[in-house]
Amino acid sequence: MILIVKRLMLRLPAVAGRFYPSDPKELTFLIRNYSQADAQQRTISAKACLVPHAGYMYSGHVAGAVFARLDLPKKIIVLGVRHYPRGEPAAILSSGVWRTPLGDAPIDEGLAGAIRRECPLLCEDSVAHSTEHSLEVQVPFLQALAPGFSFVPVALGTVQFESLVSVGEGMAHVLRNAKEDVLLLTTSDLNHYEDDATTRVKDRKAIDRLLALDARGLFDTCRNEEISMCGLGPAVAMLTALNALGAKKAELVEYATSADVSGDRSQVVGYAGMIFS
């Protein structure tokens, strides 16, 4: 839900208590537990990362392994999915705050304005963001690990490859000209609701294209191999931006499926955590 409070747009939590704990102490403890394992191996110059967005019990450890490796900047673009057929297919919010059990996270109006100028496909739209969990579940991690940060939420639904490229190229222009470090935090889960063995084979094909920084290859592979990667659009835009920025290195930090937690290998979802520099 999104409210207007004294002319300030307030996006209320939609999945607290379901995808992650609603108790602030429990939530903080969980995030710090997930993100401490590899803290001694911090990466300084990451341009982007890919993290999952399922419930924390299933994919929080994968996201945490990525965040543990990052020296998080104070400005972050969160590029996520529009799972539900409501609102604009390519949506941005340029002002206001997002509330979680850990408090309010401000949208970076200056950065959002730059993105809107360079990415005309993006429409100002609160409806697409009101119940979207893919972006929301990233915010508590950032609140706990990067106090004082500001961010820009962008949700991409099903759009054409050329449109994704245009968003990625626009993002690259913004990142190249930013006066401060900005992280492009992209979120996607991988293959959905097939058996564990099939999902791992399919996910490896998508991961290989991500490691190769191959936007067109990722798009075509997911379509041709029927890999139900829900954040395909955001990932294609991210890879396009990374290529324009001259990124050279991609690293798979962690991989898992929901079966690793649930034990049910008949219908699983795959999760990858990756860093790009």
Side-chain angles (χ1 to χ4, degrees):
M1 180 183 296
I2 294 180
L3 303 176
I4 306 298
V5 181
K6 294 182 180 180
R7 296 185 178 180
L8 178 68
M9 183 172 288
L10 171 63
R11 196 273 192 186
L12 297 175
V15 294
R18 294 191 292 127
F19 278 61
Y20 59 87
S22 57
D23 178 78
K25 291 184 179 179
E26 182 184 356
L27 178 56
T28 300
F29 174 82
L30 197 61
I31 289 169
R32 296 200 177 279
N33 185 56
Y34 285 146
S35 58
Q36 67 181 357
D38 297 318
Q40 73 279 5
Q41 302 181 35
R42 293 204 177 275
T43 298
I44 302 301
S45 58
K47 291 179 172 65
C49 66
L50 181 78
V51 292
H53 53 244
Y56 281 18
M57 70 174 293
Y58 294 108
S59 69
H61 66 290
V62 177
V66 171
F67 289 124
R69 296 282 301 279
L70 296 175
D71 186 7
L72 291 165
K74 294 300 184 182
K75 293 180 180 290
I76 298 171
I77 301 168
V78 184
L79 181 57
V81 188
R82 192 203 68 167
H83 280 94
Y84 310 106
R86 294 188 291 271
E88 296 289 343
I92 186 172
L93 284 178
S94 300
S95 64
V97 298
W98 282 37
R99 179 165 294 170
T100 80
L102 301 184
D104 292 347
I107 291 175
D108 192 303
E109 295 186 14
L111 181 58
I115 293 170
R116 289 196 67 185
R117 287 190 294 273
E118 297 297 334
C119 303
L121 181 72
L122 300 179
C123 297
E124 190 74 21
D125 179 45
S126 62
V127 175
H129 288 278
S130 61
T131 59
E132 178 52 55
H133 65 273
S134 68
L135 296 97
E136 178 181 332
V137 298
Q138 313 308 325
V139 177
F141 272 100
L142 300 176
Q143 288 174 304
L145 302 175
F149 83 101
S150 60
F151 78 114
V152 180
V154 177
L156 293 179
T158 302
V159 292
Q160 295 179 336
F161 179 79
E162 292 75 16
S163 297
L164 298 171
V165 168
S166 73
V167 171
E169 290 174 344
M171 292 282 184
H173 193 271
V174 171
L175 294 168
R176 186 183 298 112
N177 292 287
K179 295 181 180 179
E180 301 176 60
D181 289 340
V182 180
L183 175 70
L184 182 55
L185 191 169
T186 306
T187 177
S188 178
D189 295 339
L190 299 183
N191 197 55
H192 287 60
Y193 309 136
E194 294 187 87
D195 66 85
D196 191 72
T198 299
T199 287
R200 289 177 185 272
V201 170
K202 287 189 172 185
D203 285 351
R204 187 69 241 184
K205 294 177 181 180
I207 289 168
D208 284 346
R209 293 302 90 215
L210 285 157
L211 290 171
L213 301 174
D214 182 2
R216 181 82 241 188
L218 177 65
F219 187 86
D220 290 344
T221 296
C222 286
R223 292 296 178 88
N224 295 337
E225 301 288 341
E226 298 183 337
I227 302 169
S228 52
M229 179 179 179
C230 57
L232 175 59
V236 167
M238 174 193 69
L239 292 176
T240 300
L242 288 168
N243 280 297
L245 292 168
K248 301 298 183 184
K249 182 179 179 183
E251 177 187 357
L252 177 63
V253 177
E254 187 90 9
Y255 174 79
T257 74
S258 56
D260 296 331
V261 173
S262 70
D264 180 1
R265 300 190 179 278
S266 62
Q267 287 191 321
V268 309
V269 180
Y271 313 117
M274 304 182 70
I275 292 173
F276 303 86
S277 55

